[in-house]
Amino acid sequence: KQEVTQIPAALSVPEGENLVLNCSFTDSAIYNLQWFRQDPGKGLTSLLLIQSSQREQTSGRLNASLDKSSGRSTLYIAASQPGDSATYLCAVLYGNNRLAFGKGNQVVVIP
Amino acid sequence: EAGVTQSPTHLIKTRGQQATLRCSPISGHTSVYWYQQALGLGLQFLLWYDEGEERNRGNFPPRFSGRQFPNYSSELNVNALELEDSALYLCASSLAGYYNEQFFGPGTRLTVL
């Protein structure tokens, strides 16, 4: 079964601290992995996409790593800001072309 | 360039009615995907359409159906609505074929009373 788990479900950090969000997946036969941001009641904003052959991707303050063999990805957000408060979703693309999502990390950055 | 658009933004129906949700993909994209985000359940894959054909279907009952039009826009129909169908329905689009990045729309919030 293709399960995606995100831990912790919720976290609060003071402004300026670095954020570390974890994603694990049970089936390592992935094609790519995406990190999304979702604001309450809204759609998904794609943050980073890592192809299965890649180890990491970076965009501004965001960095995502991928370890396919251990079934893990980590999203790092440097120097967090109150505007980073949102739910972050990890999604894995498998051979059936479906994205399998974790339930998300709900982040609150405290000013 | 316009992103994925969905209509309506909100939809309120009563149990037993039918709901129709619409999605327009990014220009040049021929694949459309539907996902359901129900409270507490996370995002679940519903349907994938490509070039007008249904390519894959998630673990949902047959009363969830859809179609893709020649202009690649798509419609999701939910018949005989049940209370547990209340959810945010997200549409995504991608280039044709497999393993392409999926771009999401803002969603339609369906409430079943």
Side-chain angles (χ1 to χ4, degrees):
Chain A
K1 192 175 178 184
Q2 296 164 343
E3 291 184 353
V4 180
T5 304
Q6 292 186 246
I7 296 172
L11 69 159
S12 297
V13 297
E15 182 177 0
E17 270 199 13
N18 296 331
L19 271 165
V20 180
L21 306 178
N22 295 302
C23 171
S24 61
F25 43 94
T26 53
D27 183 349
S28 62
I30 72 171
Y31 284 85
N32 62 49
L33 183 146
Q34 276 184 269
W35 282 95
F36 294 92
R37 171 187 170 134
Q38 186 175 32
D39 293 291
K42 304 293 185 182
L44 305 182
T45 301
S46 181
L47 298 174
L48 291 167
L49 181 147
I50 312 176
Q51 298 292 350
S52 62
S53 57
Q54 297 176 314
R55 298 284 292 186
E56 67 177 341
Q57 276 285 358
T58 299
S59 175
R61 295 186 293 114
L62 306 179
N63 174 275
S65 65
L66 174 63
D67 185 340
K68 240 179 64 167
S69 60
S70 66
R72 294 174 190 269
S73 176
T74 302
L75 178 67
Y76 299 89
I77 303 177
S80 61
Q81 303 168 358
D84 295 328
S85 297
T87 296
Y88 293 83
L89 294 163
C90 169
V92 178
L93 187 67
Y94 288 106
N96 53 17
N97 213 33
R98 306 178 181 186
L99 280 172
F101 284 85
K103 292 190 176 180
N105 305 109
Q106 188 175 7
V107 171
V108 175
V109 180
I110 304 164
Chain B
E1 182 180 304
V4 177
T5 59
Q6 292 186 245
S7 63
T9 304
H10 293 94
L11 191 56
I12 299 175
K13 295 285 185 179
T14 55
R15 224 167 44 169
Q17 285 188 314
Q18 178 195 41
T20 299
L21 289 65
R22 296 180 177 84
C23 171
S24 292
I26 291 171
S27 177
H29 287 186
T30 62
S31 275
V32 171
Y33 311 80
W34 288 95
Y35 292 85
Q36 182 198 63
Q37 188 176 35
L39 199 62
L41 292 181
L43 270 148
Q44 305 287 325
F45 168 81
L46 257 168
L47 290 159
W48 169 32
Y49 290 96
D50 185 51
E51 298 283 356
E53 300 284 332
E54 182 181 301
R55 302 295 186 187
N56 207 337
R57 182 182 181 86
N59 189 25
F60 282 84
R63 56 192 187 81
F64 287 83
S65 65
R67 54 180 172 166
Q68 187 177 33
F69 299 100
N71 66 353
Y72 305 115
S73 67
S74 177
E75 207 172 76
L76 174 69
N77 295 294
V78 188
N79 293 319
L81 284 166
E82 300 179 2
L83 297 178
E84 53 264 35
D85 297 332
S86 295
L88 182 67
Y89 289 83
L90 292 169
C91 170
S93 74
S94 77
L95 295 172
Y98 283 77
Y99 319 136
N100 294 301
E101 184 175 3
Q102 296 178 24
F103 297 83
F104 283 77
T108 292
R109 170 73 62 187
L110 172 63
T111 302
V112 183
L113 302 175

